[in-house]
Amino acid sequence: MGVIPIVNENDTLAVSEIRQIEKFGDNDTLSAITAAMLQADYLFLMTDVDCLYDKNPRTHPDAQAIEVVEDVSSLEADVSSAGSSLGTGGMSTKIVAARLATSAGVTTVITRSSNPGNIVNIVNYVQAQKAADVHSEIPSNPATPAEHTPPSSSISSLHVDALQTPPLHTRFLPDPFPIRDRSFWLLHGLAAHGTLYIDQGAHRALASKAGLLPAGIVDVEGHFAQQEAVRLLVVKRNAPTWSSAAQENGVDGGGVPVDVAVAPMEVGRALVNYSAAEIMRIKGLRSTEIGGVLGYADSEYVALRENVSLTKREKSRPVTPSASSENAGQVN
């Protein structure tokens, strides 16, 4: 629509609800959520330095600029910058924002705010790179007369100019398997009110697009109601090692014991069909037993698959073909 949103947390009428969600509360992450919701092409995080460095450039003259980051989770950079005295976010929040935005397929750029013209120059440079890459991938046609075959280096004059050295910046490449729309909202747009500990079998079932059954739930933490968001953590089941207290009381722990030596790993978020108290009573049971325990059964699933979003995307599916050369220069 030809619109460039400029996000400033101070412009909102009330921030109490925003701050309840741990990923919100500063302009950087708020803008990342906005960019993901809009499926923007670019998110620019403006700061008081040119880019990320592997060391603090103010104290280490040999600090090297980090110009392109392919995988933000493997980033090794100096994030000691505290940010502007007028804002709440420093460089660390920009890394968090970049992780959020790139996971949704948004190219994210960190650059100096004192020169707003950098934005246009950087976009032109990146778009020229894309156009050049698309052009280099176009196979030559032997049947085409030589006089009609464009030279291998032919790029539009606009792209030639744009391929000059760009302003210094750090560019985070978007995830080729982005999390978008409802999945992104479930993961990053809701405050988690509790935690469900699930076993590895339940995690595999979710990865295979099945719903979350009570049989796969090991434990429950927190107080939450129906249709509230919870974290999903995978734990490793272990051979029976009941505590002496449980053995004395004839209690089996309420399910198969857990290997406490392996730290639980968060794998996603879900909107649940039952409250924390209800799930505590039905965890480890078959779906057919829900009605007998609770006196009713709203659903055979603790969470429908459409209400579950996993942090890791399935990357074995075919990659969507890239845009054609005539669309390579378009920006939303």
Side-chain angles (χ1 to χ4, degrees):
M1 294 183 292
V3 175
I4 301 178
I6 301 176
V7 179
N8 187 350
E9 149 184 74
N10 300 327
D11 293 338
T12 59
L13 297 179
V15 298
S16 57
E17 182 175 336
I18 292 176
R19 291 188 182 277
Q20 290 176 5
I21 303 179
E22 63 271 21
K23 292 184 176 67
F24 289 1
D26 62 81
N27 291 331
D28 298 322
T29 47
L30 192 58
S31 66
I33 297 294
T34 305
M37 291 171 62
L38 297 176
Q39 296 185 14
D41 291 283
Y42 293 91
L43 169 64
F44 280 83
L45 302 173
M46 313 303 287
T47 183
D48 57 355
V49 294
D50 293 306
C51 61
L52 286 179
Y53 292 87
D54 58 353
K55 304 175 185 176
N56 190 331
R58 296 186 177 94
T59 56
H60 295 81
D62 60 338
Q64 298 294 314
I66 301 175
E67 297 183 4
V68 178
V69 178
E70 295 185 4
D71 182 6
V72 67
S73 62
S74 62
L75 179 66
E76 294 183 4
D78 182 271
V79 294
S80 58
S81 173
S84 168
S85 60
L86 301 178
T88 60
M91 195 60 75
S92 60
T93 65
K94 289 176 173 56
I95 300 299
V96 172
R99 182 178 294 110
L100 290 174
T102 54
S103 72
V106 180
T107 298
T108 305
V109 176
I110 291 178
T111 191
R112 186 180 290 274
S113 60
S114 59
N115 188 358
N118 286 354
I119 295 176
V120 174
N121 294 332
I122 292 171
V123 170
N124 287 340
Y125 174 78
V126 176
Q127 293 301 114
Q129 272 193 327
K130 290 180 179 179
D133 292 342
V134 169
H135 178 83
S136 65
E137 293 174 1
I138 299 176
S140 59
N141 187 352
T144 303
E147 63 270 20
H148 297 300
T149 303
S152 59
S153 60
S154 71
I155 305 174
S156 70
S157 58
L158 289 176
H159 289 149
V160 170
D161 293 337
L163 277 174
Q164 304 302 318
T165 302
L168 196 57
H169 67 282
T170 296
R171 178 162 32 103
F172 298 84
L173 302 186
D175 192 316
F177 303 91
I179 303 172
R180 284 181 171 163
D181 301 328
R182 182 173 177 82
S183 293
F184 189 89
W185 171 71
L186 288 170
L187 276 177
H188 304 299
L190 298 174
H193 294 271
T195 301
L196 293 183
Y197 294 90
I198 63 176
D199 61 23
Q200 293 169 309
H203 184 215
R204 286 193 295 269
L206 291 173
S208 300
K209 304 302 182 182
L212 178 60
L213 296 169
I217 297 176
V218 176
D219 203 0
V220 182
E221 185 178 88
H223 301 280
F224 50 86
Q226 294 180 5
Q227 297 303 313
E228 286 193 322
V230 298
R231 300 179 185 87
L232 298 179
L233 272 69
V234 172
V235 292
K236 182 179 179 181
R237 291 193 186 276
N238 194 10
T241 54
W242 309 122
S243 66
S244 58
Q247 290 174 345
E248 292 172 2
N249 297 324
V251 178
D252 67 358
V256 179
V258 175
D259 184 354
V260 295
V262 179
M265 178 178 65
E266 184 170 347
V267 295
R269 299 284 178 94
L271 291 178
V272 292
N273 293 325
Y274 296 95
S275 68
E278 292 168 330
I279 299 174
M280 182 63 76
R281 295 176 62 189
I282 63 175
K283 65 183 175 67
L285 302 181
R286 295 179 181 274
S287 296
T288 54
E289 300 175 277
I290 295 177
V293 173
L294 299 180
Y296 54 88
D298 291 342
S299 173
E300 63 177 313
Y301 295 103
V302 170
L304 300 174
R305 186 58 183 86
E306 66 192 45
N307 289 334
V308 176
S309 182
L310 301 179
T311 53
K312 289 188 177 180
R313 307 296 286 172
E314 183 60 54
K315 298 192 177 184
S316 60
R317 67 180 186 271
V319 180
T320 302
S322 59
S324 58
S325 58
E326 60 267 22
N327 294 328
Q330 295 181 358
V331 180
N332 291 330

